[in-house]
Amino acid sequence: MSEFLAGFQDTMAYVVTLMPSLMAGAWVTAKLFVWTLVLSLPLGLPFALGSNSKFWPIKAICQIYVFIFRGTPLILQLYFFYFFLPIAYGIRLDPFVTSVITFVLNYAAYFAEIYRGGINGIDRGQYEAAHALGLSKSQTMFGIVFPQTMRVILPPVSNEAIVLIKDTALASIITVGELMKASRGAVNRDVDTTAYIIAAIIYLGFTFVMTLLSNHLERKYSRYDSREVD
Amino acid sequence: MTKVKSNGIVKIILKKDLKAGDIILEMKGIYKQFPNCLAVENVDFSMHKGEIVAIIGPSGSGKSTLLRGINGLEKITEGELDLYGTTGMVFQHFNLFPHMTCLKNITYAPMKVKSVNKKSAEDKAMSLLELVGLKDKADVFPGQISGGQKQRIAIARALAMEPDLMLFDEPTSALDPEITGEVLGVMRKLAEGHSSMIIVTHEMNFAKEVADRVVFMDGGKIIEEGTPKQIFEDPKSDRLKEFLKTVY
Ligand SMILES: Nc1ncnc2c1ncn2[C@@H]1O[C@H](COP(=O)(O)OP(=O)(O)O)[C@@H](O)[C@H]1O
Ligand SMILES: [Mg+2]
């Protein structure tokens, strides 16, 4: 029993020595996550609207963009931006910035498709009623259409956000010092997998917070009964 | 099928001092060409402020298209349309905004389009809710009320913009027969208040009773028009006689 206790104390002491580097990594992960969401959530909207455009060049550009970023591995996109800019233009961006740019472009493509589905689900009659009341195009979109898409797009958007928490780990391959890289460093150095377990717990913590937040938003936007039955 | 060239002219002239009896709407040689069908063909029509016009006719005869041409929901292909004022529209399927309470449905457009402040928009909305008999539904979402109630809210919503001309496109067609009365009752009140109204309807008795003039459309054209008495009791054209036989 006391042997077990001593072992436990040793482990805890080791965990304490790991914490500073893991918390620093978790902080970078959190920043990657927040920056990506803050930028890609709005960026998806013009691509969603563009994919619905009647002007074919805009429609084509938006559809090709979505096709490329959803159709290739994120890890390839990371490598591409990490090596492409220095090789082609001699520009060396900070790896963190490169990761944010890549994640934003990738996630905006997914969000664009989710938004587009939500927007296309809105009945024509809603646009007609708005027009008949004299509402402008932007008043119609922001006041009538987008709020109604919320309840439809929130579940897939929060799902993507949870996937993003885990995708941030990919940034480690282009040397970003986030949680994955920090834990891998400790494991390789000490030949001890404890750091991975702590990292897993931290990732789960992020996911848990994200799940709570999305449940809260989904409840908020489901107050009304959306099915307008004739 | 004749293809029509595209030179529809729509003029909306905002005259504040329109008096009863002044022309509120004038259409000359109106055509609406859809890719595979000519929905409205050479329609001439005009009406006065305060007049109540019912449009009747078989399904597919171009009634909705003509009505929607008046408020710009359809772009007319050829002809001239002069509108002296603003329009409001009531749809067959209500088209209420499901994410807003009934009150918000009514106040939203005046606040956004006319920058009316919240307090006066809400006061106005409450008096409109009273008019349509639904004061108790102010804070309820449209998903929670019946079809007849929805349509009454939709009428209040359109009235909140104080339109000069109200357009009704089969306002009771989506309702169960036993509840059409509550909607027709509200429309009757508006008619008594001397609103200018165009009502596309299958309710022949209502048209007979409320309309000053009845227009019969078929195949995209106005075939016959006249007072309810002329149209229902003394139809001239075979097509109208045929149509009246099918609806009675
Ligand atoms: N958006 C549209 N595109 C193509 N054809 C249409 C469209 N709207 C109506 N039509 C056609 O125009 C004709 C008149 O339709 P409509 O005005 O709805 O008739 P009504 O209201 O009298 O039933 C019909 O043949 C219909 O199929
Ligand atoms: Mg119709």
Side-chain angles (χ1 to χ4, degrees):
Chain A
M1 189 63 208
S2 69
E3 228 169 274
F4 172 80
L5 214 64
F8 181 74
Q9 277 169 345
D10 283 352
T11 307
M12 287 321 286
Y14 175 58
V15 165
V16 169
T17 66
L18 286 177
M19 281 325 268
S21 66
L22 291 185
M23 288 320 279
W27 175 239
V28 175
T29 293
K31 281 198 295 185
L32 254 180
F33 175 77
V34 170
W35 274 112
T36 302
L37 270 195
V38 163
L39 296 173
S40 62
L41 283 171
L43 184 64
L45 190 55
F47 285 111
L49 296 174
S51 297
N52 275 343
S53 172
K54 289 196 188 81
F55 184 57
W56 74 262
I58 289 194
K59 189 185 169 96
I61 288 169
C62 293
Q63 287 182 336
I64 290 167
Y65 165 81
V66 168
F67 181 66
I68 289 173
F69 279 92
R70 291 205 318 164
T72 57
L74 182 51
I75 189 165
L76 185 151
Q77 294 166 22
L78 269 174
Y79 277 134
F80 180 81
F81 284 107
Y82 188 57
F83 292 112
F84 169 77
L85 290 174
I87 291 170
Y89 300 106
I91 306 168
R92 171 124 250 152
L93 280 181
D94 174 63
F96 179 83
V97 175
T98 307
S99 315
V100 169
I101 291 172
T102 312
F103 287 148
V104 166
L105 290 172
N106 182 272
Y107 274 80
Y110 282 93
F111 291 143
E113 277 304 279
I114 294 170
Y115 297 166
R116 196 170 66 89
I119 292 167
N120 290 348
I122 301 298
D123 188 72
R124 282 216 55 77
Q126 295 289 305
Y127 294 90
E128 297 188 348
H131 175 97
L133 287 165
L135 294 170
S136 70
K137 282 236 165 68
S138 75
Q139 286 167 339
T140 303
M141 293 316 280
F142 286 97
I144 309 298
V145 176
F146 297 154
Q148 288 186 56
T149 64
M150 278 299 177
R151 54 184 290 138
V152 184
I153 67 172
L154 264 175
V157 163
S158 34
N159 194 47
E160 286 302 325
I162 285 167
V163 175
L164 172 62
I165 294 171
K166 294 167 286 173
D167 274 353
T168 56
L170 288 173
S172 66
I173 61 161
I174 61 165
T175 77
V176 176
E178 43 65 80
L179 181 55
M180 189 64 221
K181 184 155 185 288
S183 56
R184 190 166 55 224
V187 169
N188 289 346
R189 185 188 63 225
D190 303 336
V191 199
D192 185 322
T193 53
T194 307
Y196 281 155
I197 293 169
I198 299 169
I201 292 167
I202 295 173
Y203 279 119
L204 287 170
F206 283 146
T207 304
F208 182 68
V209 170
M210 197 51 226
T211 307
L212 288 185
L213 182 68
S214 78
N215 287 348
H216 170 75
L217 288 173
E218 278 171 37
R219 259 200 313 278
K220 185 176 159 201
Y221 282 99
S222 64
R223 277 174 318 177
Y224 68 90
D225 186 42
S226 78
R227 289 174 312 117
E228 228 218 310
V229 204
D230 312 319
Chain B
M1 196 192 318
T2 47
K3 279 269 174 187
V4 178
K5 62 181 185 300
S6 203
N7 65 346
I9 308 166
V10 179
K11 276 193 272 176
I12 298 171
I13 302 148
L14 278 172
K15 269 216 228 158
K16 281 273 162 275
D17 51 352
L18 213 59
K19 291 186 291 295
D22 288 351
I23 294 268
I24 190 165
L25 171 70
E26 184 154 33
M27 295 193 262
K28 282 175 253 170
I30 301 288
Y31 288 79
K32 175 62 193 186
Q33 175 80 63
F34 285 118
N36 50 9
C37 111
L38 186 58
V40 173
E41 189 176 346
N42 197 18
V43 163
D44 293 315
F45 172 81
S46 69
M47 69 181 279
H48 297 111
K49 183 177 160 65
E51 197 175 7
I52 294 158
V53 176
I55 303 182
I56 61 171
S59 158
S61 58
K63 307 180 297 293
S64 296
T65 306
L66 187 64
L67 206 64
R68 292 157 60 86
I70 295 170
N71 72 350
L73 279 177
E74 301 290 356
K75 196 172 166 297
I76 59 174
T77 317
E78 189 184 317
E80 186 179 331
L81 190 155
D82 298 338
L83 177 62
Y84 298 88
T86 56
T87 58
M89 190 162 194
V90 174
F91 301 86
Q92 183 176 350
H93 294 287
F94 330 126
N95 300 340
L96 290 178
F97 305 132
H99 60 304
M100 296 178 182
T101 61
C102 292
L103 185 73
K104 185 97 185 288
N105 262 276
I106 301 171
T107 58
Y108 190 74
M111 286 172 64
K112 289 286 167 184
V113 180
K114 292 182 163 178
S115 309
V116 176
N117 70 52
K118 190 168 182 214
K119 174 80 172 63
S120 38
E122 286 182 351
D123 289 348
K124 169 98 203 230
M126 288 313 290
S127 67
L128 287 168
L129 282 170
E130 181 145 38
L131 175 79
V132 301
L134 290 172
K135 243 181 147 163
D136 55 325
K137 300 298 181 194
D139 298 320
V140 166
F141 287 94
Q144 297 162 291
I145 59 179
S146 73
Q149 292 172 331
K150 282 179 194 169
Q151 195 61 299
R152 286 189 277 156
I153 297 291
I155 292 172
R157 178 179 70 174
L159 290 173
M161 287 299 284
E162 303 183 330
D164 301 293
L165 172 61
M166 278 287 282
L167 310 171
F168 293 85
D169 192 358
E170 300 196 28
T172 58
S173 294
L175 302 176
D176 293 332
E178 65 271 19
I179 56 168
T180 58
E182 60 186 76
V183 172
L184 296 177
V186 169
M187 293 170 63
R188 209 170 268 127
K189 265 199 228 175
L190 293 183
E192 284 157 9
H194 307 290
S195 304
S196 311
M197 299 158 70
I198 304 181
I199 307 161
V200 173
T201 186
H202 289 303
E203 303 274 346
M204 294 304 147
N205 288 324
F206 180 74
K208 198 185 284 183
E209 192 188 320
V210 168
D212 300 311
R213 186 151 50 112
V214 179
V215 171
F216 171 64
M217 285 185 74
D218 195 11
K221 294 184 202 154
I222 293 182
I223 304 295
E224 207 172 323
E225 60 177 298
T227 62
K229 215 172 151 63
Q230 289 168 331
I231 292 293
F232 293 111
E233 287 166 27
D234 186 22
K236 300 276 186 296
S237 60
D238 291 342
R239 281 206 253 179
L240 176 53
K241 285 177 194 162
E242 201 57 39
F243 174 72
L244 290 176
K245 251 184 249 160
T246 66
V247 294
Y248 280 114

